[in-house]
Amino acid sequence: MVSFLIHLVRRIPGLLVLLATVALAISYYLKTPVSYESSALALVHRSRIHVPDSDQEENSNRWVWVRTGMATKESLMTDDLLSQLFTKYPELLKQYLTAGIENNRSLMNKTLRSDIKILYSGGDVYSYEVSFANQNRDLAVSVVDDLIKQLEIIEIQRPLEDSTKAKNKISGIVQGLKREYKKYDPNLVRNQRRLRTLDQKIDYFESALNKIDLRLHLQKIDDDRFEVIRRPENSVVKAWPKLSLLLIGSIIVGLALFLGLEYLLYYVIPNQRLQKNTLQQGV
């Protein structure tokens, strides 16, 4: 019994260190503001349409499809989009206006870009998992929701807009060529060469216009490629602090300090004393 008590007393310093690390972890947990993480998962299915256009044949290649998905991921993190988030959410701007990056929008965008997590997986169906953590739960949800909406714009709405713009541009060219065609008298020999050239141009641009019309029509019936599997408002979790991780980490650190203290008190120091006494006796 006495030996047990002596052994226990010898372990008191190490046990106190272990308890202190756990107490620090609990104190940190209680004092640290809670950060909430919102995430969303969106799927983009590969287009089921194919427009007979030799210029678009490369798009049928799977690796080109994956490369396009990677480019889409990068377009979600542009400086323009991040600046729009700061403009839309003054609280977000206030949070990033710290002493270190005040009035430095480039550095603010870089910091926000590192805080927004986008996981991309490619294939015939590729997915984007967007997450963002913030002390304001609603703000975290709103930022993720805006990024998902922007993803849908890039994948669905922007191609439609691009096709519509291309259609309007080529329609204008065709109309201009037809107006020019009417200026020439087809009965005059000197006009025949110019009219043939205009005919060829009109045929070329009308063919291109027909392809764009077909693509635009198919894009409108293929707009269900975008699917949100997990909404940001339905997937909010407590990101930090996490008591379980803090306790595990504090116990590991405490045990390391405990063993180090034991080694120091009952091996290193006694050996040094023994060596010192031996030297003194030798003298």
Side-chain angles (χ1 to χ4, degrees):
M1 182 67 180
V2 175
S3 62
F4 172 76
L5 291 176
I6 294 175
H7 181 79
L8 181 61
V9 170
R10 293 180 62 183
R11 298 295 181 270
I12 286 179
L15 292 174
L16 289 176
V17 170
L18 177 60
L19 291 175
T21 57
V22 174
L24 286 174
I26 295 175
S27 176
Y28 175 84
Y29 173 79
L30 295 175
K31 293 182 179 180
T32 302
V34 178
S35 179
Y36 298 95
E37 183 181 73
S38 175
S39 64
L41 178 63
L43 299 182
V44 182
H45 300 271
R46 191 169 187 175
S47 178
R48 299 181 296 271
I49 66 174
H50 176 70
V51 179
D53 185 348
S54 58
D55 294 336
Q56 302 295 324
E57 288 297 325
E58 189 188 30
N59 290 336
S60 61
N61 187 297
R62 183 178 184 272
W63 296 112
V64 175
W65 166 252
V66 174
R67 185 183 66 196
T68 303
M70 292 295 295
T72 300
K73 174 186 174 181
E74 295 300 322
S75 65
L76 284 174
M77 305 294 285
T78 60
D79 287 339
D80 289 341
L81 178 58
L82 297 177
S83 297
Q84 291 174 17
L85 292 176
F86 282 125
T87 302
K88 184 175 181 180
Y89 302 109
E91 182 179 350
L92 185 67
L93 177 62
K94 184 178 179 181
Q95 292 176 1
Y96 283 80
L97 279 177
T98 62
I101 58 177
E102 188 173 0
N103 299 324
N104 190 335
R105 182 55 63 91
S106 176
L107 187 55
M108 288 171 57
N109 288 344
K110 182 179 180 180
T111 306
L112 179 58
R113 186 180 291 110
S114 65
D115 291 341
I116 296 174
K117 310 300 181 185
I118 301 180
L119 299 179
Y120 163 76
S121 61
D124 290 334
V125 176
Y126 55 64
S127 65
Y128 293 93
E129 184 174 14
V130 182
S131 61
F132 178 65
N134 195 273
Q135 295 177 10
N136 187 325
R137 181 184 185 278
D138 295 335
L139 182 58
V141 172
S142 298
V143 169
V144 174
D145 188 55
D146 282 358
L147 291 172
I148 290 297
K149 289 178 180 177
Q150 183 65 25
L151 177 62
E152 184 176 10
I153 290 173
I154 294 173
E155 289 294 339
I156 304 301
Q157 297 182 23
R158 189 170 295 171
L160 285 173
E161 294 173 357
D162 292 343
S163 294
T164 301
K165 290 178 182 178
K167 177 183 177 181
N168 294 335
K169 181 179 180 179
I170 294 178
S171 295
I173 294 175
V174 171
Q175 294 300 322
L177 290 172
K178 288 182 177 180
R179 286 194 298 269
E180 184 180 356
Y181 189 93
K182 293 179 180 180
K183 295 179 182 179
Y184 294 91
D185 186 352
N187 296 321
L188 297 178
V189 176
R190 66 174 182 271
N191 294 336
Q192 295 303 312
R193 182 176 180 180
R194 180 57 182 167
L195 290 174
R196 284 195 301 270
T197 301
L198 289 174
D199 274 330
Q200 292 174 355
K201 288 184 176 181
I202 290 173
D203 288 342
Y204 173 81
F205 284 108
E206 283 185 338
S207 176
L209 187 60
N210 290 334
K211 292 176 182 177
I212 291 177
D213 279 333
L214 177 59
R215 183 182 301 114
L216 188 60
H217 173 70
L218 294 175
Q219 284 173 335
K220 289 179 179 179
I221 64 177
D222 194 46
D223 61 359
D224 59 344
R225 295 188 301 111
F226 188 84
E227 181 181 7
V228 180
I229 301 298
R230 186 173 70 242
R231 300 295 310 176
E233 61 271 14
N234 299 330
S235 56
V236 180
V237 297
K238 185 178 178 180
W240 191 258
K242 293 184 177 180
L243 183 59
S244 58
L245 292 179
L246 289 173
L247 288 178
I248 293 173
S250 66
I251 291 174
I252 293 174
V253 173
L255 287 175
L257 293 175
F258 174 84
L259 295 175
L261 188 60
E262 288 282 303
Y263 179 77
L264 178 66
L265 292 177
Y266 304 113
Y267 180 79
V268 176
I269 294 178
N271 282 344
Q272 288 179 347
R273 290 176 178 173
L274 180 62
Q275 291 176 3
K276 184 178 180 181
N277 292 336
T278 302
L279 291 174
Q280 290 177 349
Q281 291 176 1
V283 174

